[in-house]
Amino acid sequence: METKNILIVDDEKAIVKMLELMLKKEGFQHIYRAHSGSEALEIVEKQNIDIIILDVMLPDCSGFELCPKIREKTNAYILFLTAKISDLDVLTGFATGGDDYVTKPFNPLEIAARIKAYLRREPASKAQPASAATKLYDFGRFKLDESAGELIVNGRPVACPTQVYLLLLYFCKHPNIVLSKASLLEAVWGFEHYVDDNTVSVHIRRIRERIEEDPSNPKLLLTVRGLGYKLVKGNQL
């Protein structure tokens, strides 16, 4: 944990200070701070950031506007802080590239719990030594190289935000099996009830946009009505 670079983006300096103290107490040592969108982008351009805690309401832009710009530079895990709790706001956060969210007011220890849950599931390319055996999942149209943490579609690397990658990896490890939304939330996000079903639905869409020829008419990642989703392989195609 001490090797991870964390960026806190919030214009409320008291919140930034509180989160910084809590994270250091939990063992994270490399903490960066930004109080505006422009400051955050400058840091992301200069530093290799692993985790970003991003407030939705910033003085020069919204976190929703900032997130796609960050995504152009990094696939870091992005956790939104938001006072908004409507389904539309949550979906907007995921659609712009966020991986998770916490609503204000929040317990700072919850932030640490979310980050630790993510780190337990982070891509193998970051968690394993370079000598680890290659784990390649080949589905024809796309391949997922777990050792390299890379998604290849039609022979070309495709950028994949962390949580989207982790969800796809879980499907790759369980091909031709119907997986419920509840089981996916628990296995991939590490919590059973902190987010609603829309979380999985949005991330499923984000996977399909990357691996399917026609995301609106999926042939690989299928919806099994009333039960969940299934990634098909081999003679199941």
Side-chain angles (χ1 to χ4, degrees):
M1 290 190 298
E2 65 276 3
T3 63
K4 300 301 179 183
N5 292 329
I6 301 178
L7 171 60
I8 305 170
V9 187
D10 198 311
D11 62 332
E12 296 186 50
K13 294 183 179 181
I15 289 180
V16 174
K17 186 65 175 178
M18 174 187 66
L19 288 173
E20 182 179 6
L21 290 173
M22 178 276 300
L23 289 169
K24 287 186 174 180
K25 186 176 180 180
E26 292 294 314
F28 299 97
Q29 299 301 317
H30 304 289
I31 312 294
Y32 296 84
R33 300 168 296 281
H35 301 295
S36 67
S38 58
E39 287 183 34
L41 283 176
E42 185 176 350
I43 292 172
V44 170
E45 288 174 350
K46 294 179 179 179
Q47 303 293 335
N48 182 23
I49 300 297
D50 301 294
I51 298 163
I52 300 173
I53 302 171
L54 177 59
D55 188 29
V56 169
M57 303 302 293
L58 296 171
D60 55 348
C61 65
S62 76
F64 296 151
E65 294 170 332
L66 179 63
C67 193
K69 297 177 182 178
I70 291 176
R71 276 284 170 250
E72 292 176 359
K73 305 176 186 302
T74 178
N75 281 326
Y77 174 81
I78 298 177
L79 172 66
F80 273 113
L81 299 181
T82 176
K84 301 179 178 182
I85 57 174
S86 74
D87 288 344
L88 178 59
D89 291 320
V90 170
L91 292 176
T92 298
F94 288 133
T96 57
D99 296 300
D100 199 354
Y101 73 94
V102 170
T103 55
K104 295 180 177 181
F106 59 86
N107 183 332
L109 291 177
E110 183 179 2
I111 303 293
R114 301 289 179 91
I115 291 174
K116 289 178 179 178
Y118 155 67
L119 292 176
R120 289 195 296 270
R121 294 162 174 80
E122 70 175 330
S125 61
K126 297 179 181 179
Q128 295 180 354
S131 60
T134 298
K135 294 183 180 179
L136 184 67
Y137 300 91
D138 189 346
F139 284 76
R141 177 176 168 79
F142 79 91
K143 298 179 177 64
L144 195 71
D145 186 339
E146 184 179 4
S147 297
E150 189 173 43
L151 171 63
I152 306 294
V153 181
N154 284 337
R156 296 183 178 181
V158 174
C160 198
T162 299
Q163 210 66 18
V164 176
Y165 172 91
L166 291 173
L167 180 58
L168 178 56
L169 176 61
Y170 190 75
F171 275 113
C172 289
K173 290 182 175 181
H174 302 84
N176 304 324
I177 297 174
V178 178
L179 301 170
S180 68
K181 289 183 177 180
S183 67
L184 292 170
L185 284 172
E186 183 175 3
V188 179
W189 278 264
F191 297 85
E192 292 181 324
H193 304 297
Y194 78 91
V195 286
D196 57 34
D197 288 350
N198 285 330
T199 300
V200 174
S201 300
V202 172
H203 282 76
I204 292 292
R205 177 69 187 183
R206 293 168 74 183
I207 289 175
R208 286 171 173 164
E209 289 171 349
R210 288 165 170 80
I211 69 171
E212 299 282 0
E213 184 175 359
D214 179 3
S216 298
N217 185 30
K219 303 297 184 183
L220 294 168
L221 184 51
L222 306 180
T223 299
V224 181
R225 193 172 299 278
L227 296 177
Y229 302 94
K230 177 173 67 173
L231 182 64
V232 295
K233 183 178 184 180
N235 58 15
Q236 297 282 326
L237 290 172

PDB file of all heavy atoms in Angstrom, residues 20 37 54 62 76 88 98 126 128 143 147 183 185 188 190 205 209 212:
ATOM      1  N   GLU A  20      -6.276  12.797   3.827  1.00  0.00           N
ATOM      2  CA  GLU A  20      -4.832  12.568   3.810  1.00  0.00           C
ATOM      3  C   GLU A  20      -4.358  11.948   5.119  1.00  0.00           C
ATOM      4  O   GLU A  20      -3.592  10.971   5.127  1.00  0.00           O
ATOM      5  CB  GLU A  20      -4.098  13.879   3.550  1.00  0.00           C
ATOM      6  CG  GLU A  20      -2.595  13.711   3.470  1.00  0.00           C
ATOM      7  CD  GLU A  20      -1.868  15.014   3.182  1.00  0.00           C
ATOM      8  OE1 GLU A  20      -2.518  16.078   3.163  1.00  0.00           O
ATOM      9  OE2 GLU A  20      -0.645  14.968   2.983  1.00  0.00           O
ATOM     10  N   GLY A  37      -9.880  21.294 -10.926  1.00  0.00           N
ATOM     11  CA  GLY A  37      -9.679  20.378 -12.032  1.00  0.00           C
ATOM     12  C   GLY A  37      -8.358  20.600 -12.739  1.00  0.00           C
ATOM     13  O   GLY A  37      -7.671  19.640 -13.108  1.00  0.00           O
ATOM     14  N   LEU A  54     -12.114  11.771  -6.302  1.00  0.00           N
ATOM     15  CA  LEU A  54     -12.511  12.931  -7.104  1.00  0.00           C
ATOM     16  C   LEU A  54     -13.863  13.473  -6.674  1.00  0.00           C
ATOM     17  O   LEU A  54     -14.883  12.788  -6.782  1.00  0.00           O
ATOM     18  CB  LEU A  54     -12.553  12.523  -8.581  1.00  0.00           C
ATOM     19  CG  LEU A  54     -13.009  13.566  -9.592  1.00  0.00           C
ATOM     20  CD1 LEU A  54     -12.127  14.805  -9.547  1.00  0.00           C
ATOM     21  CD2 LEU A  54     -13.014  12.958 -10.994  1.00  0.00           C
ATOM     22  N   SER A  62     -16.861  20.404 -13.234  1.00  0.00           N
ATOM     23  CA  SER A  62     -17.420  19.325 -12.423  1.00  0.00           C
ATOM     24  C   SER A  62     -16.526  18.099 -12.548  1.00  0.00           C
ATOM     25  O   SER A  62     -15.784  17.943 -13.529  1.00  0.00           O
ATOM     26  CB  SER A  62     -18.838  18.981 -12.878  1.00  0.00           C
ATOM     27  OG  SER A  62     -18.819  18.227 -14.079  1.00  0.00           O
ATOM     28  N   ALA A  76      -6.191   4.947 -13.958  1.00  0.00           N
ATOM     29  CA  ALA A  76      -6.224   4.881 -12.492  1.00  0.00           C
ATOM     30  C   ALA A  76      -7.641   4.617 -11.985  1.00  0.00           C
ATOM     31  O   ALA A  76      -8.631   4.985 -12.631  1.00  0.00           O
ATOM     32  CB  ALA A  76      -5.699   6.191 -11.907  1.00  0.00           C
ATOM     33  N   LEU A  88     -29.484   9.091 -11.831  1.00  0.00           N
ATOM     34  CA  LEU A  88     -28.899   9.748 -12.995  1.00  0.00           C
ATOM     35  C   LEU A  88     -27.487  10.233 -12.694  1.00  0.00           C
ATOM     36  O   LEU A  88     -26.580  10.081 -13.505  1.00  0.00           O
ATOM     37  CB  LEU A  88     -29.775  10.918 -13.454  1.00  0.00           C
ATOM     38  CG  LEU A  88     -29.238  11.713 -14.655  1.00  0.00           C
ATOM     39  CD1 LEU A  88     -29.075  10.802 -15.865  1.00  0.00           C
ATOM     40  CD2 LEU A  88     -30.179  12.869 -14.978  1.00  0.00           C
ATOM     41  N   GLY A  98     -15.779   6.830 -14.192  1.00  0.00           N
ATOM     42  CA  GLY A  98     -15.550   6.528 -12.789  1.00  0.00           C
ATOM     43  C   GLY A  98     -15.687   5.045 -12.498  1.00  0.00           C
ATOM     44  O   GLY A  98     -16.351   4.309 -13.233  1.00  0.00           O
ATOM     45  N   LYS A 126      -0.103  -5.380 -12.151  1.00  0.00           N
ATOM     46  CA  LYS A 126       0.408  -4.531 -11.085  1.00  0.00           C
ATOM     47  C   LYS A 126       0.712  -5.348  -9.832  1.00  0.00           C
ATOM     48  O   LYS A 126       1.571  -4.999  -9.046  1.00  0.00           O
ATOM     49  CB  LYS A 126      -0.617  -3.449 -10.751  1.00  0.00           C
ATOM     50  CG  LYS A 126      -0.890  -2.495 -11.908  1.00  0.00           C
ATOM     51  CD  LYS A 126      -1.934  -1.467 -11.510  1.00  0.00           C
ATOM     52  CE  LYS A 126      -2.241  -0.517 -12.648  1.00  0.00           C
ATOM     53  NZ  LYS A 126      -3.274   0.475 -12.281  1.00  0.00           N
ATOM     54  N   GLN A 128       1.462  -8.793  -9.667  1.00  0.00           N
ATOM     55  CA  GLN A 128       2.352  -9.929  -9.779  1.00  0.00           C
ATOM     56  C   GLN A 128       3.733  -9.496 -10.265  1.00  0.00           C
ATOM     57  O   GLN A 128       3.862  -8.518 -10.979  1.00  0.00           O
ATOM     58  CB  GLN A 128       1.780 -10.952 -10.774  1.00  0.00           C
ATOM     59  CG  GLN A 128       0.477 -11.575 -10.308  1.00  0.00           C
ATOM     60  CD  GLN A 128      -0.038 -12.580 -11.322  1.00  0.00           C
ATOM     61  OE1 GLN A 128       0.508 -12.719 -12.406  1.00  0.00           O
ATOM     62  NE2 GLN A 128      -1.090 -13.275 -10.962  1.00  0.00           N
ATOM     63  N   LYS A 143      -8.758 -10.821 -26.705  1.00  0.00           N
ATOM     64  CA  LYS A 143      -7.922 -11.569 -25.771  1.00  0.00           C
ATOM     65  C   LYS A 143      -7.669 -10.694 -24.555  1.00  0.00           C
ATOM     66  O   LYS A 143      -7.491  -9.477 -24.681  1.00  0.00           O
ATOM     67  CB  LYS A 143      -6.588 -11.965 -26.408  1.00  0.00           C
ATOM     68  CG  LYS A 143      -6.699 -12.880 -27.609  1.00  0.00           C
ATOM     69  CD  LYS A 143      -5.324 -13.183 -28.184  1.00  0.00           C
ATOM     70  CE  LYS A 143      -5.403 -14.154 -29.349  1.00  0.00           C
ATOM     71  NZ  LYS A 143      -6.146 -13.606 -30.501  1.00  0.00           N
ATOM     72  N   SER A 147      -1.507 -11.252 -17.142  1.00  0.00           N
ATOM     73  CA  SER A 147      -0.168 -10.916 -16.669  1.00  0.00           C
ATOM     74  C   SER A 147       0.242  -9.510 -17.080  1.00  0.00           C
ATOM     75  O   SER A 147       0.906  -8.799 -16.330  1.00  0.00           O
ATOM     76  CB  SER A 147       0.843 -11.931 -17.210  1.00  0.00           C
ATOM     77  OG  SER A 147       0.557 -13.218 -16.718  1.00  0.00           O
ATOM     78  N   SER A 183     -23.803 -11.426  -7.423  1.00  0.00           N
ATOM     79  CA  SER A 183     -22.527 -12.143  -7.321  1.00  0.00           C
ATOM     80  C   SER A 183     -21.390 -11.327  -7.930  1.00  0.00           C
ATOM     81  O   SER A 183     -20.264 -11.356  -7.424  1.00  0.00           O
ATOM     82  CB  SER A 183     -22.630 -13.505  -8.014  1.00  0.00           C
ATOM     83  OG  SER A 183     -22.779 -13.371  -9.414  1.00  0.00           O
ATOM     84  N   LEU A 185     -21.253  -7.971  -8.042  1.00  0.00           N
ATOM     85  CA  LEU A 185     -20.961  -6.885  -7.105  1.00  0.00           C
ATOM     86  C   LEU A 185     -20.055  -7.365  -5.981  1.00  0.00           C
ATOM     87  O   LEU A 185     -19.082  -6.707  -5.612  1.00  0.00           O
ATOM     88  CB  LEU A 185     -22.255  -6.314  -6.529  1.00  0.00           C
ATOM     89  CG  LEU A 185     -23.068  -5.397  -7.437  1.00  0.00           C
ATOM     90  CD1 LEU A 185     -24.415  -5.082  -6.800  1.00  0.00           C
ATOM     91  CD2 LEU A 185     -22.314  -4.108  -7.722  1.00  0.00           C
ATOM     92  N   VAL A 188     -16.419  -8.579  -7.639  1.00  0.00           N
ATOM     93  CA  VAL A 188     -15.581  -7.596  -8.328  1.00  0.00           C
ATOM     94  C   VAL A 188     -15.422  -6.305  -7.535  1.00  0.00           C
ATOM     95  O   VAL A 188     -14.349  -5.721  -7.490  1.00  0.00           O
ATOM     96  CB  VAL A 188     -16.145  -7.300  -9.734  1.00  0.00           C
ATOM     97  CG1 VAL A 188     -15.295  -6.260 -10.454  1.00  0.00           C
ATOM     98  CG2 VAL A 188     -16.213  -8.594 -10.551  1.00  0.00           C
ATOM     99  N   GLY A 190     -16.386  -6.078  -4.185  1.00  0.00           N
ATOM    100  CA  GLY A 190     -16.011  -6.433  -2.824  1.00  0.00           C
ATOM    101  C   GLY A 190     -17.047  -6.090  -1.781  1.00  0.00           C
ATOM    102  O   GLY A 190     -16.822  -6.262  -0.593  1.00  0.00           O
ATOM    103  N   ARG A 205     -22.172  -2.414 -20.150  1.00  0.00           N
ATOM    104  CA  ARG A 205     -22.208  -1.627 -21.382  1.00  0.00           C
ATOM    105  C   ARG A 205     -20.805  -1.179 -21.779  1.00  0.00           C
ATOM    106  O   ARG A 205     -20.432  -1.226 -22.962  1.00  0.00           O
ATOM    107  CB  ARG A 205     -23.115  -0.401 -21.192  1.00  0.00           C
ATOM    108  CG  ARG A 205     -23.170   0.541 -22.397  1.00  0.00           C
ATOM    109  CD  ARG A 205     -23.882  -0.087 -23.563  1.00  0.00           C
ATOM    110  NE  ARG A 205     -23.785   0.738 -24.755  1.00  0.00           N
ATOM    111  CZ  ARG A 205     -24.368   0.452 -25.921  1.00  0.00           C
ATOM    112  NH1 ARG A 205     -25.091  -0.649 -26.040  1.00  0.00           N
ATOM    113  NH2 ARG A 205     -24.234   1.251 -26.958  1.00  0.00           N
ATOM    114  N   GLU A 209     -18.869  -2.080 -25.286  1.00  0.00           N
ATOM    115  CA  GLU A 209     -18.348  -1.058 -26.196  1.00  0.00           C
ATOM    116  C   GLU A 209     -16.928  -1.364 -26.640  1.00  0.00           C
ATOM    117  O   GLU A 209     -16.474  -0.864 -27.675  1.00  0.00           O
ATOM    118  CB  GLU A 209     -18.405   0.312 -25.510  1.00  0.00           C
ATOM    119  CG  GLU A 209     -19.819   0.856 -25.353  1.00  0.00           C
ATOM    120  CD  GLU A 209     -19.865   2.102 -24.496  1.00  0.00           C
ATOM    121  OE1 GLU A 209     -18.841   2.425 -23.850  1.00  0.00           O
ATOM    122  OE2 GLU A 209     -20.928   2.750 -24.453  1.00  0.00           O
ATOM    123  N   GLU A 212     -17.428  -5.964 -28.289  1.00  0.00           N
ATOM    124  CA  GLU A 212     -18.459  -6.369 -29.244  1.00  0.00           C
ATOM    125  C   GLU A 212     -18.338  -5.603 -30.556  1.00  0.00           C
ATOM    126  O   GLU A 212     -18.008  -4.422 -30.574  1.00  0.00           O
ATOM    127  CB  GLU A 212     -19.852  -6.140 -28.655  1.00  0.00           C
ATOM    128  CG  GLU A 212     -20.157  -6.922 -27.394  1.00  0.00           C
ATOM    129  CD  GLU A 212     -20.503  -8.385 -27.669  1.00  0.00           C
ATOM    130  OE1 GLU A 212     -20.505  -8.802 -28.854  1.00  0.00           O
ATOM    131  OE2 GLU A 212     -20.768  -9.114 -26.695  1.00  0.00           O
TER     132      GLU A 212
END
